[in-house]
Amino acid sequence: MTLTNHMLTGAIIGATVSSYWIAAPAALLSHIVLDVMPHYGFEGARERLRKTFTSFWFVMVFDAAFVALLLSLLAFTGRVELIVFAVIAASPDFIWIHMFRTGRFEDKPYRNLVLKFLKNIQQFESPKAIVVDIVYGIAAAYVLYSVV
């Protein structure tokens, strides 16, 4: 899923679950649930990503813009805890930053167990699944709007 969808889900959990002690792990687990669903991404080695580099960065720039908009709107509500839960839900993706920075995607076996787990649950990742991300994002934005 896109970072926006993970953050929307975390904010919804933060807005609907009354206990922070339950909401925090639920937001973290929501990341895993969303990554099991079909979603936008690139299955395959670095060479395949190079071929689709432009579309990948196009989606990433739009995702970054939506993340900035979401964080701004959440800050505007005055409910800072929603930002915290949004970041918690997105946090497992932060492990990929090093992979993108260094350009080391799938050309070496994953030694880190967390990284291996996060990669293995994403069996339905494909560029065509952007439709699922868009539909989910619109629905999640509506739910968040309704509960905040």
Side-chain angles (χ1 to χ4, degrees):
M1 282 284 166
T2 59
L3 203 57
T4 302
N5 288 344
H6 288 300
M7 294 183 95
L8 281 166
T9 304
I12 290 168
I13 291 168
T16 57
V17 176
S18 59
S19 168
Y20 293 167
W21 295 105
I22 296 172
L28 193 60
L29 289 174
S30 75
H31 188 100
I32 294 166
V33 171
L34 291 181
D35 274 357
V36 170
M37 294 171 48
H39 64 281
Y40 176 76
F42 291 92
E43 166 72 35
R46 184 173 21 174
E47 185 59 35
R48 192 159 167 188
L49 181 60
R50 272 194 209 126
K51 291 179 183 176
T52 54
F53 190 74
T54 305
S55 63
F56 173 78
W57 285 108
F58 181 76
V59 171
M60 293 301 106
V61 166
F62 267 93
D63 192 31
F66 283 121
V67 166
L69 176 64
L70 174 62
L71 292 175
S72 299
L73 292 173
L74 290 175
F76 182 73
T77 67
R79 295 189 60 190
V80 178
E81 73 275 10
L82 299 184
I83 295 172
V84 171
F85 292 117
V87 171
I88 290 171
S91 65
D93 277 346
F94 299 160
I95 199 167
W96 298 109
I97 293 171
H98 174 70
M99 302 295 279
F100 284 107
R101 260 190 55 239
T102 61
R104 297 165 74 189
F105 294 97
E106 295 176 17
D107 46 357
K108 292 189 177 181
Y110 295 126
R111 299 191 202 299
N112 181 320
L113 292 177
V114 173
L115 200 60
K116 193 179 287 189
F117 172 76
L118 291 174
K119 181 60 187 159
N120 287 339
I121 63 171
Q122 299 189 47
Q123 298 299 312
F124 301 107
E125 187 177 59
S126 82
K128 293 178 183 174
I130 189 71
V131 174
V132 175
D133 277 273
I134 292 169
V135 170
Y136 182 89
I138 291 169
Y142 177 75
V143 170
L144 182 60
Y145 175 77
S146 299
V147 298
V148 171

